């Protein structure tokens, strides 16, 4: 068995003064590195960080792109026209946010931004979660219920992505954001 020792996430990672790090994770990477023949990440910046911190030797670090065909998400005028008609947005700019309604996603910041601008378009929010009812009440309280539409779960997120003009990603923290 491998004993890692006491862990604390309140200290900064050595060599990384701008980010809070998890000393336990760093120690675990260093201890378990000999058990793996390859270390992967979806971005060069992640690989470089782990190599610079001495967590993974450079020859073992490989980038593996996220296995997603992005061509399926390109703008589609037919899908946009259909969904815009169904949702009654006409020629308004459409912002799209999707994901679970949980505190880390920080949907309240999106709603505050919509409240600040009167000519910023429409915000479509796709998803479900524990904060759904609260966020709907918040949109009403902010007086933006006519510019924010909640869709719940939809059959094809791709169609919504193809018909949106912009994507909004807010979060307070994420474990492994891959959107």
């Amino acid at each position: 068995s491998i004993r890692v020792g006491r862990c604390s996430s309140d200290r900064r990672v050595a060599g990384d003064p701008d980010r809070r790090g998890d000393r336990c994770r760093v120690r675990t990477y260093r201890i378990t590195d000999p058990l793996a023949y390859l270390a992967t990440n979806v971005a060069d910046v992640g690989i470089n960080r782990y190599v610079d911190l001495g967590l993974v030797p450079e020859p073992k670090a490989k980038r593996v792109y996220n296995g997603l065909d992005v061509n399926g998400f390109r703008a589609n005028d037919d899908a946009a026209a259909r969904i815009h008609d169904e949702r009654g947005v006409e020629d308004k700019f459409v912002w799209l946010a999707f994901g679970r309604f949980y505190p880390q996603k920080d949907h309240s910041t999106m709603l505050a931004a919509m409240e600040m601008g009167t000519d910023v378009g429409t915000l479509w929010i796709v998803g479900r979660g524990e904060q759904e009812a609260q966020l709907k009440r918040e949109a009403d309280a902010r007086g933006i219920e006519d510019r924010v539409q909640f869709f719940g779960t939809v059959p094809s997120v791709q169609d919504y992505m193809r018909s949106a003009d912009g994507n909004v990603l807010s979060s307070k923290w994420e474990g492994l954001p891959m959107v």
Side-chain angles (χ1 to χ4, degrees):
S1 76
I2 298 173
R3 180 172 162 76
V4 175
R6 198 169 122 197
C7 299
S8 170
S9 61
D10 293 332
R11 300 209 176 104
R12 294 181 188 272
V13 172
D16 194 1
D18 297 323
R19 285 180 61 172
R20 291 244 173 228
D22 183 341
R23 291 184 66 204
C24 181
R25 184 177 339 136
V26 169
R27 193 176 313 136
T28 302
Y29 270 106
R30 284 190 178 128
I31 291 170
T32 60
D33 177 65
L35 302 174
Y37 66 91
L38 184 66
T40 63
N41 199 302
V42 296
D44 287 331
V45 69
I47 290 171
N48 294 339
R49 179 172 183 267
Y50 289 140
V51 169
D52 291 347
L53 290 173
L55 304 179
V56 175
E58 191 168 5
K60 285 176 62 172
K62 302 291 180 211
R63 181 188 60 244
V64 178
Y65 289 112
N66 201 347
L68 181 66
D69 179 7
V70 295
N71 291 322
F73 295 93
R74 296 201 188 285
N76 179 310
D77 291 337
D78 293 336
R82 180 179 52 79
I83 292 177
H84 282 222
D85 287 344
E86 289 173 6
R87 304 303 178 188
V89 294
E90 300 165 11
D91 292 329
K92 297 176 187 170
F93 190 94
V94 175
W95 293 100
L96 175 66
F98 58 94
R100 301 168 299 125
F101 296 135
Y102 287 91
Q104 66 265 35
K105 298 296 186 181
D106 195 23
H107 287 92
S108 289
T109 296
M110 285 186 229
L111 299 180
M114 288 299 291
E115 182 182 23
M116 292 170 74
T118 56
D119 193 25
V120 294
T122 297
L123 173 62
W124 290 350
I125 304 178
V126 175
R128 296 236 181 262
E130 66 185 32
Q131 292 188 314
E132 184 174 357
Q134 171 191 334
L135 291 166
K136 288 178 179 178
R137 287 191 303 273
E138 184 177 342
D140 289 345
R142 289 179 180 277
I144 57 173
E145 66 279 356
D146 60 326
R147 293 186 285 136
V148 178
Q149 296 181 25
F150 292 86
F151 294 109
T153 303
V154 297
S156 174
V157 172
Q158 281 181 315
D159 285 346
Y160 284 80
M161 291 179 79
R162 287 178 182 143
S163 61
D165 299 300
N167 190 26
V168 182
L169 295 172
S170 65
S171 81
K172 290 183 178 179
W173 71 90
E174 292 284 342
L176 185 61
M178 292 290 183
V179 173

